[in-house]
C-alpha cells in the first residue's frame, strides 16, 4: 500500500529546507534540485508542489510572510488590550512586537534573508513585483497601526505627524534588518533591539513625574 504523506508536514519540511538553502547560498540558487537535496526528497516529490524555480521563490516569500503573521497574531493575543498596561510597559511590548520583523535569532534571520533576496529579485523581475509591493505596504500599514494605537493610549508625544513617523520607523526596521543580515559582526541582535527601543522612547511622553527641560529651566 502507498505510504500516507501528511501534506502539512511535507510543506514544513520543504519550507525549512528552502530557508536553509537561501541563507547559505542565496534565493537565486535555491533550485528545485537544491531544495530537494536539502530536504532529502526525490525531486519528483518537489515537482508535485512546484512547476518552476519561480514558483519556489514565490512560495519562499509567502511562507516567510505567513510565519511572521502567525507570530504577530500570537503577540497581539498575549498583549491583549494595550491600554491596560503602564506606559513603559506599552513601549516594551510594542518593541517586542515590532522586533518580530528583525533578524534577532536564527529563525528570524532566515526570514529576513528571504525577504531581502526576494525583493532584490523583484527589482528586475516583474513576476515578483506584486508580492514585493504588498509586503512593503503591509509593513508600513502595520507600523502605522502600531503608532496609531500608541497615540490612542496617550503614550506618544502630542503633535507627532503619524505619516512621517510611520515612514521613519519603517525605514529604521528595514535598515536594521539589512545591516544585521549583511554585517552581523557590526550589528548584533542586542544592538538592533536597543536601537528600536530607543527610537520608540524618543517618540514617547516623559514618564510620570519626570520634569521636562523647559520645566527645570523655567
Amino acid at each position: 500500500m502507498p505510504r500516507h504523506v501528511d501534506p502539512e508536514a511535507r510543506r514544513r519540511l520543504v519550507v525549512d529546507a528552502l530557508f536553509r538553502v537561501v541563507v547559505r547560498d542565496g534565493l537565486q540558487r535555491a533550485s528545485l534540485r537544491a531544495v530537494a537535496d536539502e530536504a532529502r526528497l526525490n525531486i519528483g516529490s518537489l515537482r508535485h508542489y512546484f512547476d518552476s524555480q519561480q514558483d519556489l521563490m514565490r512560495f519562499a516569500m509567502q511562507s516567510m510572510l505567513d510565519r511572521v503573521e502567525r507570530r504577530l497574531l500570537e503577540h497581539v493575543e498575549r498583549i491583549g488590550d494595550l491600554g491596560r498596561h503602564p506606559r513603559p510597559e506599552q513601549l516594551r511590548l510594542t518593541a517586542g512586537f515590532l522586533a518580530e520583523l528583525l533578524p534577532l535569532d536564527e529563525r528570524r534571520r532566515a526570514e529576513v534573508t528571504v525577504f531581502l533576496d526576494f525583493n532584490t529579485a523583484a527589482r528586475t523581475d516583474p513576476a515578483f513585483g506584486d508580492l514585493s509591493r504588498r509586503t512593503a505596504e503591509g509593513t508600513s500599514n502595520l507600523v502605522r497601526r502600531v503608532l496609531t494605537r500608541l497615540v490612542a493610549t496617550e503614550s506618544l508625544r502630542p503633535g507627532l505627524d503619524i505619516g512621517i513617523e510611520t515612514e521613519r520607523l519603517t525605514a529604521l526596521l528595514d535598515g536594521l534588518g539589512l545591516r544585521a543580515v549583511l554585517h552581523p559582526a557590526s550589528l548584533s541582535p542586542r544592538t538592533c533591539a536597543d536601537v528600536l527601543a530607543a527610537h520608540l522612547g524618543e517618540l514617547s511622553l516623559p514618564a510620570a513625574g519626570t520634569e521636562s527641560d523647559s520645566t527645570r529651566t523655567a
Side-chain angles (χ1 to χ4, degrees):
M1 295 179 63
R3 184 176 60 180
H4 173 71
V5 175
D6 182 347
E8 184 58 31
R10 176 62 57 82
R11 181 179 182 275
R12 289 195 299 269
L13 178 68
V14 171
V15 170
D16 290 342
L18 174 58
F19 279 28
R20 290 195 299 273
V21 172
V22 172
V23 171
R24 185 178 65 240
D25 303 322
L27 187 59
Q28 292 288 358
R29 295 185 179 179
S31 65
L32 294 177
R33 171 64 66 186
V35 175
D37 289 347
E38 184 71 25
R40 297 183 179 179
L41 294 173
N42 185 292
I43 192 169
S45 299
L46 209 61
R47 290 191 185 280
H48 177 72
Y49 297 95
F50 312 105
D51 293 328
S52 65
Q53 186 186 25
Q54 186 179 91
D55 288 343
L56 188 65
M57 291 172 70
R58 288 185 65 92
F59 177 74
M61 186 63 170
Q62 190 60 59
S63 297
M64 185 277 293
L65 295 175
D66 291 344
R67 286 185 172 194
V68 174
E69 181 180 22
R70 283 195 297 271
R71 290 205 306 276
L72 291 174
L73 290 174
E74 290 170 0
H75 259 286
V76 169
E77 291 178 1
R78 287 197 298 270
I79 292 172
D81 179 10
L82 187 65
R84 68 185 174 85
H85 298 283
R87 188 182 303 149
E89 182 68 3
Q90 289 183 34
L91 296 176
R92 188 189 69 78
L93 291 169
T94 299
F97 177 78
L98 292 174
E100 290 298 342
L101 306 179
L102 295 175
L104 304 188
D105 54 29
E106 184 176 349
R107 175 181 59 183
R108 283 175 284 183
R109 178 173 296 278
E111 292 166 351
V112 175
T113 300
V114 170
F115 172 81
L116 293 174
D117 277 15
F118 184 87
N119 281 284
T120 298
R123 189 182 69 82
T124 56
D125 191 335
F128 304 136
D130 61 328
L131 189 51
S132 178
R133 285 190 298 273
R134 291 206 308 269
T135 303
E137 291 168 359
T139 301
S140 292
N141 290 337
L142 174 67
V143 170
R144 180 182 289 274
R145 289 198 299 271
V146 166
L147 294 177
T148 299
R149 183 57 182 149
L150 289 174
V151 168
T153 61
E154 300 183 342
S155 292
L156 299 188
R157 291 187 279 108
L160 292 174
D161 184 322
I162 294 302
I164 294 296
E165 296 306 332
T166 295
E167 295 304 323
R168 282 214 307 155
L169 182 48
T170 302
L172 177 67
L173 292 168
D174 287 345
L176 288 173
L178 177 65
R179 288 197 61 214
V181 166
L182 295 182
H183 307 291
S186 301
L187 186 62
S188 69
R190 179 70 264 168
T191 301
C192 280
D194 288 345
V195 169
L196 174 59
H199 180 81
L200 291 174
E202 290 175 358
L203 299 180
S204 69
L205 285 167
T210 301
E211 293 183 308
S212 66
D213 290 340
S214 60
T215 301
R216 288 195 299 269
T217 58

